[in-house]
Amino acid sequence: MTETWDTIADWYAERVRTGSAMHEFARDALLDGLPADLHGQRILDLGCGEGLITRALAMRGGSVVGIDPSPRMIGHARAAEEATPSGARYAVDDGGSLATVATGSVEWVTAGLSLNNVPDLTAAVSAVRRVLVPGGHLVFTVPHPCFEAPRARWSGGADELPGRVVGNYLAEGFWRSANPDGARRAGNQHRMLSTYVTSLIEHGFVIGRLAEPAPDARVLTEQPLRAGLPPFLVISGLRS
Ligand SMILES: C[S@@+](CC[C@H](N)C(=O)[O-])C[C@H]1O[C@@H](n2cnc3c(N)ncnc32)[C@H](O)[C@@H]1O
C-alpha cells in the first residue's frame, strides 16, 4: 500500500499523543519563535496535523485556526478539541492555496514540519504572504535539510563519533522513506536550506531568525546518535 498523510493519520496521532520526545522538541523549537502571550493575535497553523502546535498556540491565548489537507488528521484534531477545549478551530485545506483563509486575516502563520510536505513551495509562500497582514510573521520548522536529506544514514563505528552520511543533498524533490516506523514513509519534499531562505526573500519576507536547536536530553535518551546534530531547522520571516 502506498502511504499518504491521510492513511498514516491514526498512527501519527497515536504517536504524538503517547508522548514523542522528537515531536515535543520540534513543537517547542517552533513555539520559541513566538511570544508567550498571544492574546489578540490571529494565527494560522499550516499543516496542523492532529493539532499538537495549534492547541499550544490557543493555550497561549491566540485565536488559532489549524488547516491540513488530510481529513483524517483534522478529524483527530477536532476530537482532541472536543475532549479538551482550547479554542482552536480547524479546516481541511491545502497549504499551497489556503483557499479557506481570507486575505490579510492573520498576524502569524506557523508551519510545524509541514512546508516540507507541500509540493509547490512558491505557491505556499505566496499563499502565506497573501493571508498575513503587513508586518505579520511566518515561523516554520522543517527536518534539517542538511542532515535529513533523502536516504541519509548513520555512520560511525565503536571508536568514532556517530555521523550522518548525506550523499544527494543537491537533488531536490519528492522522496519516500523506506522506514516502516517513520512519518516520511508518507513522502517528503527535500529542498536545500537555500531554497527555503530564497523563497522567503523573493516573496518579500525579511528573515528574522534562523535556528538549529541542539537535541535536548529527552530526544537524546530516545535517539542517542543525534548528539551533535540539529534535527530541525527553524526559520522566522517578517512579511513586508
Ligand atoms: C509531520 S506532520 C506535522 C503536523 C503538525 N504540524 C505537528 O507538528 O505535529 C506534517 C503535516 O503536513 C501535512 N501536509 C501534507 N501536505 C500538505 C499540504 N499540501 N499543505 C499543508 N499541509 C500538508 C500533513 O497532512 C501532516 O499533517
Side-chain angles (χ1 to χ4, degrees):
M1 173 183 182
T2 304
E3 301 279 23
T4 65
W5 279 102
D6 211 52
T7 63
I8 71 164
D10 294 0
W11 169 87
Y12 187 80
E14 174 70 12
R15 183 156 178 205
V16 168
R17 289 176 190 175
T18 48
S20 156
M22 274 299 239
H23 286 95
E24 288 168 12
F25 176 69
R27 173 199 61 196
D28 296 344
L30 185 146
L31 292 175
D32 276 353
L34 286 100
D37 183 355
L38 289 167
H39 284 93
Q41 300 294 300
R42 295 165 296 174
I43 307 165
L44 171 71
D45 188 27
L46 184 161
C48 62
E50 60 70 63
L52 178 71
I53 291 170
T54 329
R55 291 187 291 276
L57 295 165
M59 297 307 284
R60 287 188 179 190
S63 170
V64 195
V65 176
I67 68 96
D68 199 285
S70 158
R72 202 145 180 97
M73 285 285 196
I74 292 296
H76 282 294
R78 286 184 173 140
E81 180 62 23
E82 219 164 279
T84 312
S86 68
R89 289 159 289 137
Y90 295 97
V92 174
D93 198 353
D94 193 296
S97 55
L98 301 178
T100 64
V101 189
T103 299
S105 62
V106 293
E107 282 77 32
W108 296 85
V109 173
T110 53
L113 306 179
S114 57
L115 285 179
N116 54 298
N117 289 291
V118 180
D120 186 341
L121 182 67
T122 299
V125 177
S126 165
V128 167
R129 180 177 170 83
R130 178 182 65 74
V131 303
L132 277 171
V133 297
H137 304 264
L138 166 65
V139 185
F140 70 95
T141 53
V142 288
H144 200 303
C146 300
F147 309 114
E148 300 304 319
R151 285 166 284 285
R153 62 181 172 78
W154 293 104
S155 71
D159 54 349
E160 298 172 48
L161 275 178
R164 206 75 169 134
V165 179
V166 174
N168 44 7
Y169 174 74
L170 293 170
E172 296 194 315
F174 181 82
W175 67 287
R176 194 182 285 284
S177 167
N179 177 1
D181 296 321
R184 278 174 289 173
R185 69 185 193 269
N188 182 61
Q189 301 284 343
H190 171 63
R191 298 185 179 101
M192 294 188 289
L193 194 162
S194 56
T195 299
Y196 286 107
V197 172
T198 303
S199 183
L200 258 63
I201 293 169
E202 285 177 353
H203 286 85
F205 285 85
V206 176
I207 308 287
R209 179 167 175 258
L210 209 147
E212 301 171 292
D216 64 12
R218 271 197 67 202
V219 168
L220 292 178
T221 303
E222 276 184 11
Q223 300 191 38
L225 288 178
R226 293 205 173 265
L229 293 175
F232 305 111
L233 176 67
V234 191
I235 301 184
S236 301
L238 172 77
R239 183 208 189 281
S240 56

